[in-house]
Amino acid sequence: MVLQSIREKLSGIVLIFIVGILIIPFAFVGVGSYFSSDAVNAVAVVNGEEISSTEYNQSFQNYRRQMQSLLGTRFDAVQFDQPIVRRQHLDSLIDERLLAQVSLEAGLSVDNNRLAERIRNIEGFHVDGEFNTDVYQARLQAQGLTPQQFEQDTRAQLVLSQFPTAVARSAIVTNSELRDYVRLQEQARRFQALVVKAAPKETTDETSAEGEADVELEPVPEEDIVAWYEKHPQDYMSEEQVVVGYIELDAASMGGLIEPDEDVLRANFEDQRGRFLTPESRLVSHILIEVESQAPEAERETARQQAEDLAERIRQGEDFAELAREYSDDAGSAENGGDLGWIEPGFMVQAFEDAVYELSLEEPISDPVQTGFGWHVIQLRDIRPAEGMTFTEAREILLEEYQAEADERRFLEQADRLVDIIYEDPTTLDAAAEELGLEVREAGPFGRDGAAEGVASNPEFVEAAFSDLVLGQGMVSDPIDLGMNHIVLLRLREHLPEALRPLEEVREQVVQTVRFQRAMAAAKARAEGLMSAVDAEADLAALAAAEGVELIEAEAARRNSREFDTRLLEQVFLLDRPGEAGPVVETVELDDGYAVVRLESVTDGDLAELDEATKQSYRRRIYNATANEEAYGFVRMLRAQSEIQVFEDRL
C-alpha cells in the first residue's frame, strides 16, 4: 500500500518529492480514516478543542528534524520515536493550546511594530549587521514558508509567551532566600580522608614498587570467571545488527550538462529582472503619537495636532531624536531616537511607506501621517539608491539555476520510474537497478545506532533498515530522503539478532570486571578496618604513612573546589554536621575505591562577606529558578483547571 500511494503521488512532476518522500497515511490507518470525523482522528481534546493526528504528526516530525539537525551523528532515530518521547511532545502541544486559549480569552495581541521589531532582530536575516529583505525572503522560501505564514507564526509565538513571561517577571528574590542560598553555596568544610584505592593486580614474587595499588588480589580463578559471565549475561550481549542492499538515486551524479539556448536565458532574465535589482532603501526615524483608529474624533484630532506641533518644532531646528525619546509612544524605537533602520518597499504599512518615499533629503520631515497605530512624524535621514545586475552579470546564476532545474526534472522522471518498478515487485532491488543502470550496494553490518560514516550514518536510513516493512516483512523500504534530489531505497540482506557473545570473546572484559569488583570489596573491608582507628584525636598523617594509603586534607573545601576528587567532595557534603560529640567519621564509596572521612567542621557562607557582583550573580540564579518554576506552575494551574482528554493509542 505504501509504494502504491507513493506512485499515485508521483504521477505529476510538480507534486513529486516535495520536502522529501512523504509516508502516506493509507498504510497505517486505512482509506476509511479520510472519511471519518476529526474527532475520531484527534490525539487529544483540550477544553473541547481538538489536536488532530495530522497536526500532531506534522509537529512531531518537525521536532525530530530539529533534533536531528541539532544532534547530528548523535541523533538516535529509534530513541526519538519511543512512546514516552511522543507523549512528551503531545504534552507540549497541549500546553501551547492551553496558553493559546487563555491568551484569546484575555484578548492579548501583538501590534505590527513589535512584530516587525522581533523579525528585524533575528540575526539569520541580517547582512553586515542589518536586516536584509532579500535574505529574509530567501530563508523563508528555503523552508517552504511565505512571509505571511512566518509572520503569523511569529505573532502567535509572541502572544503565547505573554502570560508565562508576565508570570515569570513577577518572581521576586527575598533577602532571606539569598542568605539561605549563600549559606549553602559558599559553605566550607574542613576534613581529612584516608583513601584506599581499588586497583587490582596479580601478585608476583617481585618487591612492590612505590606508587603501586593499595589492594593486591590473586589471579581470578576460572570458576569465578564462568560464574560472573553466567550471572550477568546482559552485560555481554552482541548488538542487534543488519546488512542491507541499497540503490541510490542522486541528481548530482547523473551528469551530462544541458546547455540552454541563449534566448532562453535572456527570457528568464527579463521575467525575473526584479530578482537582480536591489530596490532603493531609505534610512528612517519616526515619532508615534498613539491613538486607536476607533477613538473619538476629538481624541484623534488632539493626537494629530500634537504630531503636527512636533513636526513644526523639528523644522524649526529642535533635535528629532531628543523629541522622539520624550514623546514617541513606540517603545521599540523611542529609546533609540525613533530609529527604524533601513526601510525597503513592502516592509511597512502602505500609508507609512508612501510618506517615506515622498520625502527628500532637502525636505526630510513629513507632515503627520495616519496609520492604524496613530499619527507618525517621519524623518528621512539617508537614501541608498537601487542597484542592479546586467544580463551578463546575472548569466552564471541563470545558467546554474537552469541546469539545476534540468537535473531535477531528470531526477523526478527517474524517481517516478523507480517507484513504478519497485511497486511491481517490492521484494527486490535488482530489476530497478538493471533498468535504470544503478548499482546495488551493500551497507553493514550496523546496529540501531548506525555506522560512524557512510550512508548508514544517516538516522533515517537506519530507521528504515530496522522498520517492520524491511526487517519484519522483508520488503523494499520507502524512499529515504538524503537531501535535495537524493534518495535511497534499501532491502534487508542479513539480520544478526542480539545474542550472548562467547565467553572467549569477552573473557578479558569479564576478568577485568571481576577483578574490579573484588578490588572494591577488598578496599571497602580495608577502609572499614581503618575506620576503627580513626577518632577525634587520631593522627591521620601517621596512620596513612603506616598503612601506605593516601591522605587528603582540606582546610576549607567548597562544593566546587577543583583540587579534590569530585566524588569524594560530593560525599563529604552529604555528611551530617559535627556535633557536641566531636567530628563525624564515615566510610564513603568512591568511583575507584573507598575513603574514611573525618569531617571536623562546617562553616556556612556569609552574605556580608561577598562582593556586590557575586551577590547579584546569586540573586539572578535564584530569580531565574523561581521565574521558571512560576511559569511552569502557571501552566500546571491551567492544566488543573481544564478538561483534557488524551488518546494514547493514536500517538
Side-chain angles (χ1 to χ4, degrees), residues 180-243:
D180 284 344
Y181 184 84
V182 170
R183 178 175 60 81
L184 296 174
Q185 181 64 28
E186 293 290 321
Q187 189 180 90
R189 296 196 166 202
R190 183 169 178 261
F191 71 90
Q192 291 179 299
L194 299 174
V195 179
V196 181
K197 291 290 182 68
K201 66 177 185 296
E202 297 181 19
T203 57
T204 67
D205 294 333
E206 299 176 2
T207 303
S208 295
E210 183 180 9
E212 288 187 327
D214 305 312
V215 180
E216 295 188 356
L217 298 175
E218 297 292 336
V220 180
E222 181 66 17
E223 57 268 26
D224 289 355
I225 296 174
V226 174
W228 183 273
Y229 171 76
E230 291 179 346
K231 189 176 180 180
H232 302 87
Q234 70 279 2
D235 294 339
Y236 307 105
M237 301 296 289
S238 65
E239 180 186 19
E240 179 188 18
Q241 293 184 313
V242 294
V243 178

Side-chain angles (χ1 to χ4, degrees), residues 172-182 622 626:
I172 60 172
V173 180
T174 66
N175 290 333
S176 176
E177 288 176 317
L178 183 59
R179 281 194 298 271
D180 284 344
Y181 184 84
V182 170
I622 301 170
T626 304

Side-chain angles (χ1 to χ4, degrees), residues 323-339:
L323 292 176
R325 292 188 186 96
E326 183 176 353
Y327 292 103
S328 181
D329 293 323
D330 180 8
S333 67
E335 63 183 19
N336 296 320
D339 180 28

Side-chain angles (χ1 to χ4, degrees), residues 31 137 151 304 308 487 518:
V31 177
Q137 294 176 343
E151 289 161 17
R304 188 201 66 78
E308 189 171 301
I487 61 170
R518 292 174 63 179

